[in-house]
């Protein structure tokens, strides 16, 4: 600003100076010309007297510097000239001042001499003998005048420049100071300059708009934060360079960062190579995904480029928990493998026996034994398939089964009675005690729970042992307890016996007709009834299983 004011002030000062100079020089030029002419005329009068009295002798003795003296005869012939050889000079009769002097007695003129490149003043007077005496001198040129004034002009110019500089900085300060003190938070409260009112009004309006937009943006951001904070999935928004713009708590926790990571490079927060590749692809405009181990679980990461105006302006990173999905897939794979394996053995046995029979290689007395074996294996397969079907129905949530009010005691009694022959065969005493307790549930599943628990208690018992079944109420819970004096379950297997196809002793389980699915069916059926299973088992002493229905 100082520069602009300085430039304008200088321009004005120089313009004024030049205008004044032109005016002064014009006036001076005229003044000096007049003064020179007057001086020349009085000198001519003196010289006239000298020539009248002394003739040529006066002129020859005259010593004048600066002026030219010429004596011209009435016919124009030059009689004398103090600066040139008068014999060679041309006739002067036609000269303006000579004509004028001859006619009027006195003549004057002003002429530019191209040979001398100067302006000359001429004064001529007629002498009594008819001849003319002429004096001439060169007039002060504009350049001479200017040269004479140059030091003063230079001084004035310098003073003007200094003054302009001081004035400019002073003015700038005076103008700028109130501008610097403007309260832009409340633009309309400023009263410094009336000229600023439209500008301040515009600033005020823009500020209002900005604050409206800001509160709108904040509201949207709060909404976005509230939505993303309650998400089970991790979500991070990155700019085109991979810096975090927004991250929800889940994503921050998974990447091992906190809220302060906003604004940081994602790569400094998590240095995983997989993540790096994923981001690279998204930054290149391609959607990419991968599965990573994060926060103790398996997460699927999806990076999508955010395209605006045809180029990638950011990346949206989404993280889904796929731990359960992967576990379920793993379980399904294992289950299929186990089922095939379990079915293979009885099928091979049956097929083998049938082949021997077909080829007539079995003696008639052994036929019964082979048929029995085939029957047993077929039974095993039937049990296995029944259990698998039961499990798959339970996996689907047993939604087609209806719930009703069931007497748990009566239901258990039926199961116990159906197992009594097995107990007798195994040499195990089986007894049921308790009271009638009503449970809201699915009768088929409750029967399966009671049957499988009692069946196991008999199967994994010893000859002479006992199975005590009790149905009772404890607080608001209905309980079914099956206690045996059997072989017990080793502590390391206790947490695993509810897994599908898990058996502590595989051969013993097969020997007693186990499928390895009984307890997983019990666990599933209990879950559907929100019931809890408690187990207490000591190897060699026995096992107690209690199912607690809320
Ligand atoms: P299975 O058809 O083999 O009996 P389950 O799922 O019913 O399969 O039981 C899993 C395993 O748990 C059995 O193979 C057995 O080793 C063990 N088990 C279950 N109940 C008892 C029990 N009452 N006493 C000792 N071991 C048991």
């Amino acid at each position: 600003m100082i520069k602009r004011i300085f430039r304008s002030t200088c321009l004005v000062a120089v313009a004024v100076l030049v205008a004044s100079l032109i005016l002064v020089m014009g006036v001076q030029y005229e003044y000096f010309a007049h003064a020179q002419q007057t001086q020349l005329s009085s000198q001519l009068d003196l010289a006239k007297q000298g020539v009248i009295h002394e003739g040529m002798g006066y002129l020859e003795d005259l010593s004048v510097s600066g002026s030219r003296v010429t004596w011209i005869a009435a016919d124009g012939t030059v009689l004398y000239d103090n600066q040139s050889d008068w014999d060679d000079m041309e006739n002067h009769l036609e000269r303006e001042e000579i004509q004028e002097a001859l006619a009027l007695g006195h003549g004057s003129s002003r002429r530019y001499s191209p040979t001398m490149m100067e302006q000359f003043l001429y004064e001529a007077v007629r002498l009594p003998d008819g001849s003319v005496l002429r004096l001439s001198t060169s007039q002060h040129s504009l350049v001479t005048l200017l040269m004479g004034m140059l030091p003063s002009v230079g001084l004035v110019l310098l003073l003007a420049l200094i003054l302009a500089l001081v004035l400019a900085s002073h003015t700038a300060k005076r103008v700028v100071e109130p501008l610097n003190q403007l309260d832009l938070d409340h633009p309309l409260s400023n009263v410094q300059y009336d000229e600023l009112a439209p500008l301040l009004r515009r600033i005020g309006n823009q500020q209002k708009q900005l604050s409206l937009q800001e509160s709108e943006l904040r509201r949207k951001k709060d909404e976005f934060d509230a939505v993303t904070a309650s998400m089970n999935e991790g979500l991070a928004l990155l700019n085109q360079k991979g810096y975090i713009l927004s991250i929800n708590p889940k994503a921050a926790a998974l990447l091992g960062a906190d809220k302060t990571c906003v604004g940081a490079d994602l790569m400094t927060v998590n240095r995983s190579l997989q993540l790096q590749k994923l981001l690279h692809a998204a930054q290149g405009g391609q959607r990419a995904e991968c599965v990573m181990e994060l926060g103790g679980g398996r997460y699927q990461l999806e990076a999508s480029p955010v395209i605006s105006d045809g180029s990638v302006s950011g990346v949206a990173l989404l993280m889904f928990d796929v731990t359960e999905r992967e576990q379920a897939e793993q379980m399904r794979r294992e289950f299929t493998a186990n089922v095939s394996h379990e079915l293979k053995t009885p099928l091979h046995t049956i097929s083998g026996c049938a082949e021997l029979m077909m080829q007539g290689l079995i003696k008639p007395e052994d036929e019964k034994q082979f048929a029995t074996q085939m029957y047993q294996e077929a039974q095993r397969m039937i049990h296995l398939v029944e259990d698998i079907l039961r499990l798959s129905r339970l996996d689907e949530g047993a939604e087609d089964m209806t719930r009703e009010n069931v007497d748990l005691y009566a239901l258990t009694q039926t199961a116990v009675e159906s197992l009594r022959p097995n107990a007798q065969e195994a040499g195990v005493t089986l007894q049921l005690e308790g009271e009638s307790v009503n449970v809201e549930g699915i009768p088929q599943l409750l029967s399966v729970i009671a049957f499988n628990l009692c069946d196991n208690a008999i199967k994994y018992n010893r000859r002479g042992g006992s199975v005590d079944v009790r149905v009772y109420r404890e607080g608001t819970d209905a309980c079914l307890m099956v206690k045996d004096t059997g072989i017990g379950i080793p502590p390391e297997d206790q947490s695993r016996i509810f897994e599908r196809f898990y058996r502590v002793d595989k051969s013993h389980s097969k020997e007693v007709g186990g499928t390895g699915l009984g307890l997983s069916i019990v666990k599933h059926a209990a879950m559907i009834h929100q019931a809890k299973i408690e187990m207490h088992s000591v190897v060699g002493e026995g096992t107690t299983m209690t199912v607690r229905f809320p």
Side-chain angles (χ1 to χ4, degrees), residues 387 419 422-423 426 428 451-462 467 484 486-487 503 508-519:
D387 277 355
L419 283 166
N422 299 25
V428 173
F451 185 92
N452 283 3
L453 288 181
C454 295
D455 187 33
N456 279 354
I458 298 165
K459 281 194 302 191
Y460 304 108
N461 216 315
R462 52 186 169 77
V467 175
D484 67 61
I487 56 173
R503 293 138 163 150
H508 181 59
S509 165
K510 281 193 175 168
E511 216 172 278
V512 292
T515 58
L517 293 174
L519 283 183

Side-chain angles (χ1 to χ4, degrees), residues 14 28 54 102 109 182 220 261 271 299 303 325 337 395 528:
V14 170
Q28 263 198 350
E54 294 175 33
L102 286 173
S109 76
L182 282 179
K220 281 188 178 163
C261 70
R271 295 180 179 278
Y299 277 80
R325 194 181 79 193
D395 279 341
I528 286 172

Side-chain angles (χ1 to χ4, degrees), residues 98 107 146 266 297-298 352 370 539:
I98 305 295
L146 200 62
L266 183 70
R298 300 279 295 165
F370 275 89
V539 175

Side-chain angles (χ1 to χ4, degrees), residues 61 75 98 101 103 130 137 150 202 228 255 257 261 287 302 308 313 351 382 390 450 481 495-496 524:
D61 292 344
D75 62 353
I98 305 295
T137 185
L150 210 56
R202 270 177 62 191
T228 56
L255 295 171
C261 70
R287 197 176 157 280
E302 282 185 18
S308 60
S313 61
S351 159
I382 290 169
R390 234 179 248 129
M481 187 188 81
S495 62
R496 299 201 59 191
H524 235 81

